[in-house]
Amino acid sequence: MNPRPADIARWWQFAPSGQVVVDGKGYTVLVNHTLSDWLGFPSEQLVNRLASELFTCESRMVYQGVLAYRVADVGSVSEVHLSLNLSNGDTLPVLCSARRLGDQKDPQILISMQPIVRKDQLERELLEARQAAQTALEEKEAVITELESMRTTLKSHNEELQRLTMRLGHEAKSDPLTGLPNRRHLDVALKELLSRAEGFLSEGFCMALLDIDHFKPVNDEYGHAVGDQVLQQLAKLLSSKLRGQDFAARIGGEEFALLMPKTAIDEASNALERLRQAIEVYHWQPVPITVSLGVTSYLPEDTSETLLARADRALYTAKREGRNRLVNG
Ligand SMILES: Nc1nc2c(ncn2[C@@H]2O[C@H](COP(=O)(O)OP(=O)(O)OP(=O)(O)O)[C@@H](O)[C@H]2O)c(=O)[nH]1
């Protein structure tokens, strides 16, 4: 059954899109109910009016320049974005498609429009989501930068801590005046040598004690600072004259201990005698000094105490016999 024209006209009135027919001079001829409902004006008030006036000022330029122009030129146009002026002062964005009706002499235009509130809203939401993502990204970058700087600070604190630990370790083991190993360090080195001598390796070694002769008068006559310089200079001489494997420590005021690993007593005695002579002929300022030495070699069953006691007795003998000499004990 063919629909009756009256039905078609009614359906057109309530079509799910706003519809308006415009004549060749741009005046409205028909406005459907859907559109008049959106606009908030009765249909009668909307006919015989310039169609462009249905739209906002900004949209009128687009209406003339794009929609009307394209329809006149090519007969149709799709998806032109315009905004309607509503009776309550609001605006309603619409997407318009238009087509020329009738012939060239008496052209009419059918404009069909769909509200795009939802699209605008989605675009707004998309924009907000983009801004939120951008902010989150910036915050994340700020956190990463902050973490980076904390990591750098932590690294430099760690390095400082390592330096301090090393310094403390070194200070705990060395004599502050001469920089030589101190008594505590000597004890550790001596224990190590004893365990090697007692163990599978059976490595013999020698130990000597060295003491400056008549050091008290040096201090008394030239002052403590000069005495200190003599001690420092003697420490340098010991370090430069001894072999790389030997170990020199300052264990008391003007007393030094020497460890000579893997060394027999004759070899040690020769090296220590050369050292004594080097000290004797050194150009000391402001006063010459000499040293006395007592040396001993490791014997099975020796402990740190027995070794030290033997070397000390030999040193005492060297002092008693006139100083500036080496005695084997
Ligand atoms: N300048 C200085 N003097 C020190 C230091 N430690 C100890 N002395 C001095 O070393 C001197 C040791 O004197 P004594 O023990 O009497 O021995 P000596 O005069 O060397 O005599 P002999 O050892 O018997 O040859 C004392 O005057 C101490 O004050 C120090 O670190 N610096």
Side-chain angles (χ1 to χ4, degrees), residues 177 211-217 219-220 223-228 231 250 252-254 319 323:
L177 180 68
D211 189 279
I212 303 176
D213 298 327
H214 301 304
F215 191 51
K216 189 169 179 307
N219 269 327
D220 293 348
H224 204 80
V226 168
D228 279 357
L231 288 167
R250 183 181 176 217
E254 79 312 5
K319 289 276 181 185
R323 298 180 174 79

Side-chain angles (χ1 to χ4, degrees), residues 5-277:
D7 286 336
I8 294 172
R10 196 157 51 80
W11 294 341
W12 182 79
Q13 285 294 345
F14 294 96
S17 57
Q19 310 258 345
V20 55
V21 178
V22 182
D23 68 14
K25 290 183 178 150
Y27 283 88
T28 53
V29 180
L30 278 171
V31 174
N32 80 343
H33 182 80
T34 308
L35 180 55
S36 70
D37 195 34
W38 291 346
L39 290 166
F41 293 107
S43 303
E44 312 82 74
Q45 283 187 28
L46 294 170
V47 292
N48 284 325
R49 284 178 52 185
L50 272 173
S52 60
E53 287 176 1
L54 297 176
F55 303 101
T56 60
C57 283
E58 300 82 51
S59 291
R60 282 175 206 165
M61 304 251 298
V62 183
Y63 175 86
Q64 292 295 354
V66 179
L67 190 143
Y69 177 82
R70 296 281 295 156
V71 171
D73 192 29
V74 295
S76 68
V77 70
S78 297
E79 298 197 337
V80 181
H81 189 167
L82 300 172
S83 280
L84 290 168
N85 258 334
L86 308 186
S87 65
N88 62 5
D90 285 347
T91 60
L92 177 67
V94 284
L95 211 53
C96 300
S97 295
R99 173 178 296 279
R100 191 170 58 217
L101 305 172
D103 54 27
Q104 287 279 19
K105 275 193 220 148
D106 183 19
Q108 289 181 331
I109 304 171
L110 171 63
I111 304 171
S112 171
M113 49 191 91
Q114 281 292 341
I116 50 175
V117 177
R118 182 76 190 130
K119 180 173 168 256
D120 276 5
Q121 189 187 333
L122 285 177
E123 277 175 358
R124 248 195 330 274
E125 283 172 10
L126 194 65
L127 195 68
E128 280 168 14
R130 265 202 206 125
Q131 280 166 351
Q134 180 67 27
T135 311
L137 194 70
E138 282 165 12
E139 280 171 2
K140 188 176 142 210
E141 276 166 4
V143 168
I144 288 173
T145 312
E146 172 84 14
L147 280 176
E148 274 299 319
S149 104
M150 280 167 76
R151 209 162 65 101
T152 312
T153 314
L154 204 65
K155 193 165 161 243
S156 89
H157 283 180
N158 264 344
E159 286 167 0
E160 178 67 17
L161 203 64
Q162 270 177 9
R163 273 197 296 276
L164 278 174
T165 310
M166 277 173 66
R167 216 178 79 195
L168 281 176
H170 180 71
E171 280 172 6
K173 291 195 298 183
S174 55
D175 161 48
L177 180 68
T178 61
L180 284 181
N182 59 14
R183 173 67 195 246
R184 190 185 310 176
H185 198 170
L186 172 83
D187 288 344
V188 175
L190 188 51
K191 281 209 169 67
E192 168 75 21
L193 279 182
L194 280 169
S195 74
R196 290 167 79 94
E198 289 157 5
F200 170 71
L201 291 171
S202 300
E203 284 177 4
F205 68 94
C206 285
M207 175 180 183
L209 290 178
L210 178 155
D211 189 279
I212 303 176
D213 298 327
H214 301 304
F215 191 51
K216 189 169 179 307
V218 176
N219 269 327
D220 293 348
E221 215 169 307
Y222 299 96
H224 204 80
V226 168
D228 279 357
Q229 281 169 19
V230 168
L231 288 167
Q232 286 167 330
Q233 189 53 46
L234 178 61
K236 277 193 196 144
L237 261 182
L238 295 182
S239 302
S240 68
K241 297 290 175 192
L242 290 174
R243 300 166 303 177
Q245 68 189 66
D246 296 339
F247 177 99
R250 183 181 176 217
I251 57 170
E254 79 312 5
E255 192 172 22
F256 297 80
L258 312 171
L259 294 179
M260 307 173 91
K262 295 189 211 166
T263 311
I265 188 73
D266 290 349
E267 202 187 337
S269 298
N270 287 339
L272 292 169
E273 178 54 26
R274 280 198 302 276
L275 174 68
R276 186 197 64 72
Q277 288 172 15

